[in-house]
Amino acid sequence: MSDRKDSKPGRRNGKAPRRAVSLVYSVLIGMAMSLAWGLLSDALRLESLFPAESVRQMFARSMAVQIALYGFLAPAAEEIVFRKLLFDLAVRYLPEWAAAVAVSALFAIWHGNVLQMLYAFPAGLILQAVRSEGGRMEDPIACHISANLTAIAVTWLQR
């Protein structure tokens, strides 16, 4: 029996460190995506062009609700529905790029208002790329969670 460290499950061939790095990249991509959208939205004054009462109501809820519901629960559920179920179905009938575009469009429509649609479509494409690159659902879920938590934190800090 060997007492080598690399004989542990998940440690073979450096898979665990690569998975951790992939998750860190996913979190950083989500944060960057959220911050870039915030800067662009502010620079173009998109909220005045496309008022979204639902967004104001979302950020009017308690911090605990925002973090639990919009920071963790909604992103995880949306990623399972859009990046897993719908994408895996769409890719049976469409080339991968077309499936990514179609599912990202559905993701945008799901958000229900123009302001969020403008963000959700490119975000959907990025989230799909994150899933395709890493091959695991943990990556787009982590990316989406970090994007939403970043938006919540920035909004809270601006008050």
Side-chain angles (χ1 to χ4, degrees):
M1 182 165 170
S2 170
D3 60 342
R4 291 177 44 173
K5 288 183 182 180
D6 62 350
S7 65
K8 292 182 182 177
R11 292 263 186 214
R12 258 180 262 134
N13 301 323
K15 286 183 182 179
R18 277 187 267 157
R19 286 182 176 174
V21 169
S22 180
L23 271 177
V24 169
Y25 283 148
S26 298
V27 167
L28 293 174
I29 290 167
M31 292 171 70
M33 190 168 61
S34 183
L35 292 171
W37 171 251
L39 291 171
L40 181 64
S41 179
D42 286 350
L44 298 176
R45 300 175 189 248
L46 292 178
E47 288 186 36
S48 64
L49 295 172
F50 305 106
E53 184 59 32
S54 61
V55 174
R56 279 190 287 284
Q57 289 176 0
M58 180 178 78
F59 286 113
R61 297 186 185 269
S62 74
M63 182 61 70
V65 168
Q66 288 181 49
I67 290 170
L69 185 59
Y70 307 122
F72 288 97
L73 185 61
E78 288 175 351
E79 290 311 303
I80 291 166
V81 169
F82 289 96
R83 246 55 64 202
K84 178 67 178 147
L85 300 175
L86 291 177
F87 179 79
D88 288 356
L89 177 64
V91 83
R92 291 183 191 171
Y93 304 100
L94 300 169
E96 189 171 336
W97 69 268
V101 170
V103 171
S104 295
L106 290 173
F107 182 64
I109 292 166
W110 165 256
H111 282 81
N113 62 70
V114 175
L115 183 63
Q116 286 185 299
M117 287 179 195
L118 290 171
Y119 172 70
F121 179 73
L125 293 173
I126 292 167
L127 290 163
Q128 189 60 54
V130 166
R131 180 192 173 199
S132 295
E133 181 65 28
R136 303 172 320 128
M137 284 304 300
E138 293 92 330
D139 294 327
I141 291 171
C143 186
H144 196 154
I145 286 171
S146 70
N148 284 19
L149 289 175
T150 299
I152 290 166
V154 168
T155 301
W156 184 78
L157 290 170
Q158 289 177 335
R159 290 181 179 180

